[in-house]
Amino acid sequence: MCGIVGAVGSRNIVPVLVEGLKRLEYRGYDSCGVAVLLDGQLQRARSTSRVAELQAQVDTDGLSSSLGIAHTRWATHGAPAVHNAHPHFSHGTGADATQRPGRIALVHNGIIENHDELRAQLQARGYVFLSQTDTEVIAHLVDSLYDGDLFAAVQAAVQQLQGGYAIAVLSKDEPHRMVGARAGSPLVLGVGADGAEHFLASDAMALAGVTDQIVYL
Ligand code: GLU
């Protein structure tokens, strides 16, 4: 069980995400990644190396945003490889889907037990999978239920999940919104200064120095 950090605010929250991942490194992980909304597009950096290497990529790519999610992975489904590292994106359906920019970005801790069945249903609807993870199934499932309201789509998606999960989700069409859900795996909500920024994390320790107002979901 590895780590999730997410943030939505009005300043650049990427340093909070990377610092949060560093605080979760002690748990062990085989890969890590971060996704942000930048200039209206979801953009990400992923690495099978340390968080310090991810930070170098983030700096080189100039990833800066007031909305983002980040993850350290301990692989359960699919090898520890960059294409299996989170965040996973969904791009909608069709043969050219993966050429399009990502529409949904998602990080996940846990295991989805009915991932084979859900993957088959989503493939039949035209979703193209780029990883071997159970997590990518959730990203496409949320996309398939998305109609402009990310909260409603995640709420409908989790009804179909069997297993344990903590997730944090973004949509490129909702630049001020981050949605989280949990069942079996831990996830906390952090409320920042004046309620003007909010955080999600798998462990309150990831938010040390950012906020001490923690809601245990
Ligand atoms: N089952 C997911 C995967 O293999 C999440 C693993 C985790 O909790 O880090 O990618």
Side-chain angles (χ1 to χ4, degrees), residues 45 49 52 54 57 61 88 90 126 132 140 143 164 190:
S49 183
L54 182 72
Q57 274 194 58
D61 297 349
H88 287 282
S90 181
Q132 285 75 50
H140 294 314
D143 186 291

Side-chain angles (χ1 to χ4, degrees), residues 1 4 9 65 80 89 99 108 122-124 126-127 138 142 147 161 164 169 179 185 199 209 213:
M1 192 68 64
I4 288 175
S65 179
F89 283 179
Q99 312 303 318
H108 163 227
L122 290 159
Q123 281 171 329
Y127 282 95
I138 320 174
V142 170
D147 190 18
L161 301 180
V169 197
V179 177
S185 301
F199 307 92
Q213 289 190 66

Side-chain angles (χ1 to χ4, degrees), residues 35 40-44 46 82-83 85 87-106 122 125-131 135-146 169-173:
Q41 302 294 342
L42 292 171
Q43 300 197 26
R44 68 184 161 187
R46 298 184 289 177
V82 169
H83 73 279
H88 287 282
F89 283 179
S90 181
H91 312 252
T93 58
D96 65 339
T98 56
Q99 312 303 318
R100 283 187 233 129
R103 186 163 89 131
I104 300 291
L106 182 141
L122 290 159
R125 295 183 57 180
Y127 282 95
V128 178
F129 284 74
L130 298 175
S131 81
T135 303
E136 193 184 2
V137 167
I138 320 174
H140 294 314
L141 184 61
V142 170
D143 186 291
S144 74
L145 295 162
Y146 187 66
V169 197
L170 309 180
S171 159
K172 102 175 176 43
D173 298 328

Side-chain angles (χ1 to χ4, degrees), residues 1-3 30 71-78 84-86 88 108-112 132-136 185:
M1 192 68 64
C2 281
D30 53 53
H71 188 258
T72 48
R73 178 178 187 234
W74 193 266
T76 64
H77 293 66
N84 285 327
H86 306 205
H88 287 282
H108 163 227
N109 283 159
I111 290 175
I112 302 306
Q132 285 75 50
T133 62
D134 50 342
T135 303
E136 193 184 2
S185 301

